[in-house]
Amino acid sequence: MTTSLDTHTDDPGSGFIGLTRALAEAGRGEGLTLGDIRDRLDERGFGILILILSIPCLVPALYGVPQAIGIPILLLAGQLLIGMKEPWLPTRLLTRRCPQAWLDRMADFAEKRMGWFERLSRPRLQALSTGLGERFAALFMIIATITIVLPLVNTVPSVALAMLAVGLIQRDGLFVLLGAVVASLWAGALIAVALGLYYGATWATGLSGYFQ
């Protein structure tokens, strides 16, 4: 008696839009669990899973969804950072089913709104998207995700996440680099605003005390 192993293979020549459409078609009306999705992605699992999770966060001024999605993204990026080869998620998350309607909306969004990502991306500067480059990308994914979970400031870091993920999927180091720049600039801008508010409040408090 023989048992069949996972027979799903990931075509390296397929772009991420084709991957999202293939996942939607694989759902066959019942949807797929995150475990099913992971098993169908092979070596590009980290990039496509993070891209799938980041797509809903592209909606401007969103609250609630980024905070929930940020946890699995941090888990995945952390694993990539320490050099794991296959994504690991808790069983509770792996058994969570993505409804067919969600898979269809994801594929439609990728086809209609992210076509330019795929058209512009191609294998280049692969030192930034493979090996140690994957850990470089993971570090900036973590930075972007930390800023995503802040209320109502999710769109820009989600763009950075999407660019980093596409860079890993397409083996495009330029996209990884651009995503890292966007994540860094956005984090820097938020830090500058926070420091400005802190020192402004401190100055105003001191000024009010001086006139009392």
Side-chain angles (χ1 to χ4, degrees):
M1 180 177 177
T2 61
T3 57
S4 60
L5 300 176
D6 179 21
T7 58
H8 302 298
T9 57
D10 174 17
D11 177 9
S14 175
F16 69 89
I17 291 178
L19 284 173
T20 57
R21 179 52 65 190
L23 289 173
E25 292 174 355
R28 298 186 181 90
E30 297 181 356
L32 297 171
T33 66
L34 281 177
D36 293 333
I37 293 173
R38 183 196 63 179
D39 292 342
R40 289 174 178 272
L41 299 176
D42 295 345
E43 73 277 5
R44 294 193 289 177
F46 281 107
I48 193 66
L49 276 174
I50 291 173
L51 179 64
I52 287 171
L53 291 169
S54 68
I55 285 175
C57 301
L58 290 167
V59 177
L62 193 64
Y63 183 75
V65 173
Q67 289 71 27
I69 286 177
I71 296 172
I73 293 179
L74 285 173
L75 279 173
L76 292 167
Q79 293 166 44
L80 194 57
L81 183 63
I82 63 175
M84 289 181 64
K85 300 302 181 184
E86 181 180 75
W88 175 89
L89 287 171
T91 302
R92 181 172 58 85
L93 289 177
L94 286 176
T95 56
R96 181 168 296 178
R97 184 167 295 276
C98 298
Q100 184 65 40
W102 188 86
L103 293 172
D104 289 336
R105 286 197 300 270
M106 176 191 67
D108 291 342
F109 182 91
E111 289 174 346
K112 294 176 182 177
R113 305 294 183 187
M114 301 184 72
W116 67 275
F117 271 60
E118 187 165 276
R119 288 192 296 271
L120 293 176
S121 61
R122 62 181 184 274
R124 56 189 162 185
L125 301 177
Q126 293 190 41
L128 291 174
S129 61
T130 58
L132 289 177
E134 291 180 330
R135 300 188 182 191
F136 171 83
L139 176 62
F140 288 94
M141 285 176 168
I142 291 171
I143 292 172
T145 305
I146 290 171
T147 60
I148 273 182
V149 301
L150 297 174
L152 307 180
V153 292
N154 54 280
T155 300
V156 173
S158 296
V159 170
L161 259 181
M163 295 183 77
L164 288 160
V166 168
L168 295 183
I169 296 165
Q170 305 285 80
R171 297 296 186 239
D172 190 339
L174 181 58
F175 260 63
V176 170
L177 185 60
L178 291 174
V181 169
V182 172
S184 300
L185 290 177
W186 184 244
L190 290 178
I191 291 171
V193 170
L195 288 174
L197 291 173
Y198 172 78
Y199 285 112
T202 301
W203 177 82
T205 301
L207 187 63
S208 63
Y210 176 79
F211 286 106
Q212 287 178 356

